[in-house]
Amino acid sequence: MQSEILEKNPDQQLQVHAVWFRQLAGDSRGAWDSSLLDDSRVTEYWDDRRIVGSWFYEHRNAIGFDHHGPVVWDSSLLFGPEATWDDVPVPLEHFGYTVIARSDGLRTGLTTLWS
């Protein structure tokens, strides 16, 4: 994300919200490297109780993506500038799990929105 999208597109309007939480045994707030996404367009959060990931899992069908549960993690969700958030954010332009494995889809979605 940092080197492949943010650094290569410094002038693109973009808001990134990264939500970090403990999902795997080695994950912890103390071990979290908050410099991974070093860009002013990124806002990072630590969600100790995994509230955000649980909420997105519970609303995955209404938003329009599939994910094994019970928590959405290591995923990217892309919403364009026309997206609204009443009950849920829509329309979803791209969903990718895992972030690294589906980074090409995220780049393609962003390129389409920026065209």
Side-chain angles (χ1 to χ4, degrees), residues 19 21 47 49-57 72:
V19 180
F21 53 85
D47 182 11
R49 297 184 331 188
R50 303 187 311 182
I51 293 169
V52 173
S54 298
W55 187 91
F56 273 98
Y57 180 75
V72 174

Side-chain angles (χ1 to χ4, degrees), residues 12-91:
Q12 292 293 347
Q13 291 187 0
L14 179 67
Q15 291 181 8
V16 176
H17 298 273
V19 180
W20 304 94
F21 53 85
R22 187 178 14 178
Q23 182 68 18
L24 301 176
D27 296 340
S28 72
R29 189 171 191 162
W32 168 42
D33 182 0
S34 62
S35 68
L36 285 174
L37 298 173
D38 188 23
D39 189 288
S40 63
R41 299 167 292 176
V42 177
T43 304
E44 296 182 274
Y45 310 88
W46 182 264
D47 182 11
D48 224 8
R49 297 184 331 188
R50 303 187 311 182
I51 293 169
V52 173
S54 298
W55 187 91
F56 273 98
Y57 180 75
E58 291 169 15
H59 295 87
R60 69 195 180 285
N61 293 329
I63 297 169
F65 68 92
D66 188 29
H67 191 277
H68 63 281
V71 173
V72 174
W73 65 288
D74 197 6
S75 301
S76 59
L77 290 90
L78 174 63
F79 300 93
E82 304 301 319
T84 59
W85 190 323
D86 294 321
D87 294 328
V88 297
V90 289

